[in-house]
């Protein structure tokens, strides 16, 4: 085992593994940017990976390692054995860009992983440090790729014309000469497919769902956290039992009941059923926060003559704003993205939610760029909302987890 901890062994192995990650990433990225054929090459990955893995111990300057990686990649690409292989139609400039990307993507991280480690035998902590840095870097690249690539493909497809998609569905380059004509699919969604109404319907239902959820979950969570009554512990532990039953199992009974009562194909029916799926998790989140609030503050309010409801309204709720914000955002996202119930219960296009409207575009009669444009419209608002309020959601989710 100690022989595997030598820098002369660890360096080349980490170099090869990391270069394969970077070569694959750069190949996919250049394919999307140029529309040409790029793919990782095994021989080039082995040669450059071993070289950079060993050089990382000797070159103290990361820019020297980046330059060495870029030059080695470019020269090997010219003779057809680079870490990234190219197909026909790839220009000299694109090959140079590829080499620079590989140099930065491989040289800088390998310097951070191996630059401070000994060339000889490593102790356990040094070896684990290298492995952890490699796994951390791989995690960043992998999870960033699986998030960005589908969204990038979706956006690029929505901006292309039907003719361009038929010629080459895998070409994600854009014709910038069209100007605002690139957004023709989005314009047609609002003018021909009524997406403005879908947006308003989803927003209205999501806001009402948030309001109804908080209306029931706040007093319920407060009762579980503060009041003493028979069965409180069992109720607290069983709040999330509803999530043990998959929604697909109860979807058919809901459909039958709503059809018999005349609630199917109505927005009121969705407003009734959505809080059923959001109240349990809201109760669970809020009760933990309420338990973390100092009970002495509420007791002081009761001694000053406030009723229990007044204590909740004037003391508990103002102190719970971070938790309420995070719960509201979470519930809003659930209602905004819900599809199964909307798909089963809504048949009238004038009452479609946004997710139901996007599903209606999945037809051979509707061009694919319109489907992708609809998916972007459904994704972008909730993404902006989440990124803008992320700090409040994080603060609310973690608040109350430690009782001081």
């Amino acid at each position: 085992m100690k022989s595997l901890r030598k820098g002369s062994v660890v360096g080349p192995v980490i170099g090869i593994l990391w270069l394969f990650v970077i070569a694959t990433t750069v190949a996919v990225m250049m394919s999307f940017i140029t529309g040409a054929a790029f793919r990782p090459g095994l021989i080039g990955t082995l040669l450059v990976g071993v070289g950079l893995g060993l050089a990382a111990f000797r070159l103290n300057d990361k820019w020297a390692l980046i330059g060495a990686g870029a030059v080695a990649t470019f020269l090997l690409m010219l003779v057809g054995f680079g870490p990234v292989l190219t197909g026909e139609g790839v220009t000299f400039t694109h090959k140079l860009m590829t080499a620079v990307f590989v140099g930065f993507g491989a040289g800088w991280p390998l310097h951070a992983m191996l630059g401070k480690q000994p060339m000889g035998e490593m102790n356990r902590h040094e070896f684990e440090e290298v492995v952890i840095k490699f796994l951390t870097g791989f995690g960043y690249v992998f999870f960033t790729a699986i998030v960005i690539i589908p969204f990038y493909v979706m956006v690029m497809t929505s901006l292309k014309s039907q003719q361009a998609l038929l010629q080459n569905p895998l070409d994600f380059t854009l014709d910038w000469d069209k100007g605002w004509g690139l957004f023709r699919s989005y314009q047609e969604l609002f003018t021909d497919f009524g997406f403005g109404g879908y947006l308003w319907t989803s927003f209205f239902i999501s806001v009402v769902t948030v309001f109804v959820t908080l209306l029931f979950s706040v007093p319920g969570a407060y009762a579980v956290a503060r009041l003493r009554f028979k069965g409180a512990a069992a109720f607290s532990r069983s709040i999330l039992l509803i999530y043990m039953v998959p929604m697909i199992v109860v979807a058919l009974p809901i459909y039958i009941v709503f059809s018999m009562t005349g609630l199917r194909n109505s927005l009121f029916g969705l407003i009734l059923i959505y809080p059923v799926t959001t109240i349990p998790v809201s109760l669970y989140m809020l009760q933990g926060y309420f338990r973390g609030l100092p009970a002495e503050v509420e007791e002081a309010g009761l001694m000053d003559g406030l009723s229990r409801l007044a204590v909740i309204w004037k003391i508990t709720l103002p102190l719970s704003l971070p938790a309420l914000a995070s719960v509201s955002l979470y519930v809003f996202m659930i209602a905004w993205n819900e599809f199964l119930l909307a798909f089963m219960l809504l048949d009238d296009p004038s009452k479609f939610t946004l997710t139901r409207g996007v599903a209606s575009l999945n037809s051979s009669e509707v061009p694919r760029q319109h489907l992708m444009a609809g998916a972007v419209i459904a994704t972008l608002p909730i993404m902006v909302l989440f990124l803008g309020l992320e700090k409040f959601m994080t603060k609310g989710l973690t608040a109350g987890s430690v009782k001081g």
Side-chain angles (χ1 to χ4, degrees), residues 249-324:
V249 175
V250 298
L252 183 58
I254 291 174
Y255 179 85
I256 295 173
V257 171
F258 274 43
S259 298
M260 295 175 61
T261 56
L263 292 174
R264 189 174 67 83
N265 203 30
S266 69
L267 298 184
F268 181 69
L270 289 184
I271 293 174
L272 280 180
I273 198 63
Y274 277 7
V276 175
T277 64
T278 57
I279 287 177
V281 69
S282 302
L283 279 170
Y284 184 79
M285 294 168 64
L286 288 175
Q287 69 162 332
Y289 186 85
F290 288 157
R291 284 196 178 101
L293 295 177
E296 292 79 5
V297 178
E298 297 176 359
E299 292 172 357
L302 293 173
M303 293 179 64
D304 289 339
L306 294 177
S307 64
R308 178 65 69 173
L309 291 178
V311 167
I312 296 175
W313 180 256
K314 295 183 179 181
I315 298 177
T316 307
L317 290 184
L319 293 176
S320 306
L321 287 180
L324 294 177

Side-chain angles (χ1 to χ4, degrees), residues 38 68 96 150 196 204 301 332 362 379:
F38 291 82
L96 184 60
F204 172 75
F332 186 92
N362 189 18
T379 304

Side-chain angles (χ1 to χ4, degrees), residues 54-242:
L54 293 173
F57 294 102
R58 303 297 185 186
L59 297 177
N60 295 324
D61 186 3
K62 62 177 178 290
W63 294 106
L65 196 62
I66 292 172
V71 171
T73 299
F74 183 69
L75 294 178
L76 287 174
M77 287 181 66
L78 292 180
V79 298
F81 294 101
V84 178
L85 303 179
T86 58
E88 297 181 359
V90 178
T91 64
F92 180 86
T93 302
H94 290 159
K95 291 182 179 180
L96 184 60
M97 289 175 56
T98 302
V100 172
F101 287 146
V102 172
F104 269 96
W108 200 325
L110 285 177
H111 179 270
M113 295 177 196
L114 304 171
K116 297 181 180 180
Q117 304 301 334
M119 186 68 173
E121 186 174 333
M122 298 179 178
N123 58 41
R124 190 185 69 179
H125 298 291
E126 292 170 337
F127 178 76
E128 290 177 352
E129 182 181 0
V130 172
V131 174
I132 290 174
K133 286 183 177 179
F134 169 78
L135 294 177
T136 302
F138 174 77
Y140 280 131
V141 173
F142 178 77
F143 288 107
T144 301
I146 63 176
V147 170
I148 291 180
I149 289 177
F151 188 75
Y152 177 84
V153 172
M154 185 169 62
V155 173
M156 292 297 105
T157 303
S158 70
L159 299 176
K160 297 181 71 67
S161 64
Q162 182 70 4
Q163 181 181 2
L165 288 174
L166 291 175
Q167 288 177 350
N168 187 358
L170 299 179
D171 183 4
F172 298 107
T173 59
L174 298 177
D175 184 6
W176 295 104
D177 294 334
K178 291 185 177 181
W180 291 105
L182 290 172
F183 299 94
R184 180 180 176 182
S185 299
Y186 293 89
Q187 179 184 355
E188 292 176 349
L189 283 181
F190 286 95
T191 57
D192 300 338
F193 293 91
F195 256 64
Y198 301 159
L199 275 171
W200 166 248
T201 300
S202 285
F203 177 78
F204 172 75
I205 291 179
S206 300
V207 171
V208 174
T209 301
V210 170
F211 176 78
V212 174
T213 299
L214 292 180
L215 185 64
F216 285 92
S217 60
V218 168
Y222 184 85
V224 173
R226 283 285 187 262
L227 305 183
R228 299 292 177 263
F229 57 91
K230 188 176 181 180
F235 178 76
S236 176
R237 289 192 293 266
S238 63
I239 286 176
L240 294 181
L241 286 179
I242 188 174

